């Protein structure tokens, strides 16, 4: 009897973004870039913390394989979410990509918790085609499009 390898599992992507237009753009970019993963969209920092800690409405939340994180969030700031992810015993190695509309000089002037650095900071492009290119950068970061166990 032949032994077939288990089919690859979709990667779990946690998108923490409060702007519906940016959420739509990101989801379309994943679709257009043929990056077929399971995207969990959270629209504020408090819910993001509940998701990563599996609390409240998110008790059954999957562990994310990658986090796309906006810095400017309601209720709890994105920098606090970043800190909690990078200090969480089960998530400290999960890649975090900070998505921001901030000017590059402003990004550099913000101290993003120097002991829990993000894995990358990407400026949100306005043009959807540019954003598709940014999403394709995942392959360059070796963030798996499909996760296998």
């Amino acid at each position: 009897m032949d032994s077939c390898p288990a089919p690859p599992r979709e990667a779990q992507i946690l998108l923490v973004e409060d702007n519906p237009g940016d959420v739509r753009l990101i989801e379309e970019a994943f679709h257009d870039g043929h990056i077929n993963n399971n995207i969990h969209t959270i629209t504020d920092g408090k819910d993001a913390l509940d998701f990563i800690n599996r609390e409240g409405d998110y008790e059954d939340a999957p562990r994310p394989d990658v986090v796309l994180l906006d810095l400017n969030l309601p209720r709890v700031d994105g920098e606090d979410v970043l800190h909690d992810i990078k200090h969480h015993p089960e998530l400290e190695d999960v890649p975090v990509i900070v998505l921001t509309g901030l000017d590059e000089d402003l990004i550099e002037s913000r101290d993003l918790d120097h002991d829990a650095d993000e894995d990358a900071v990407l400026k949100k492009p306005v043009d959807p085609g540019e954003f598709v290119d940014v999403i394709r950068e995942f392959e360059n970061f070796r963030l798996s499009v499909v996760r296998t166990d």
Side-chain angles (χ1 to χ4, degrees):
M1 189 196 278
D2 289 331
S3 173
C4 296
R9 216 172 51 163
E10 286 186 332
Q12 303 297 317
I13 297 174
L14 174 58
L15 169 60
V16 186
E17 173 61 66
D18 64 320
N19 182 317
D22 288 340
V23 168
R24 184 181 52 76
L25 180 66
I26 292 167
E27 289 173 345
E28 286 176 5
F30 272 91
H31 180 266
D32 293 348
H34 302 288
I35 302 173
N36 298 314
N37 294 288
N38 196 357
I39 300 175
H40 306 274
T41 302
I42 304 294
T43 58
D44 70 56
K46 170 70 171 92
D47 285 346
L49 292 176
D50 287 350
F51 187 98
I52 65 173
N53 291 308
R54 293 182 171 166
E55 296 175 347
D57 292 339
Y58 303 100
E59 287 180 8
D60 296 323
R63 287 288 175 227
D65 296 305
V66 64
V67 178
L68 302 175
L69 177 64
D70 184 21
L71 289 181
N72 298 314
L73 297 169
R75 300 205 302 167
V76 174
D77 187 77
E79 291 180 44
D80 293 332
V81 174
L82 173 64
H83 174 85
D84 282 19
I85 291 170
K86 288 303 184 176
H87 287 89
H88 192 290
E90 294 177 37
L91 302 176
E92 61 191 2
D93 293 328
V94 170
V96 177
I97 299 190
V98 172
L99 300 172
T100 182
L102 293 175
D103 174 89
E104 195 170 314
D105 292 334
L106 286 174
I107 294 169
E108 289 179 16
S109 71
R110 290 177 85 158
D111 183 14
L112 295 180
D113 187 9
H114 60 280
D115 64 338
D117 289 333
E118 71 289 344
D119 295 286
V121 177
L122 299 176
K123 188 165 176 10
K124 292 180 193 175
V126 176
D127 180 82
E130 287 180 55
F131 197 82
V132 170
D133 292 340
V134 169
I135 294 302
R136 286 192 177 128
E137 295 272 334
F138 281 119
E139 293 168 355
N140 296 336
F141 286 122
R142 296 199 172 277
L143 301 176
S144 56
V145 172
V146 179
R147 182 174 117 180
T148 58
D149 287 332

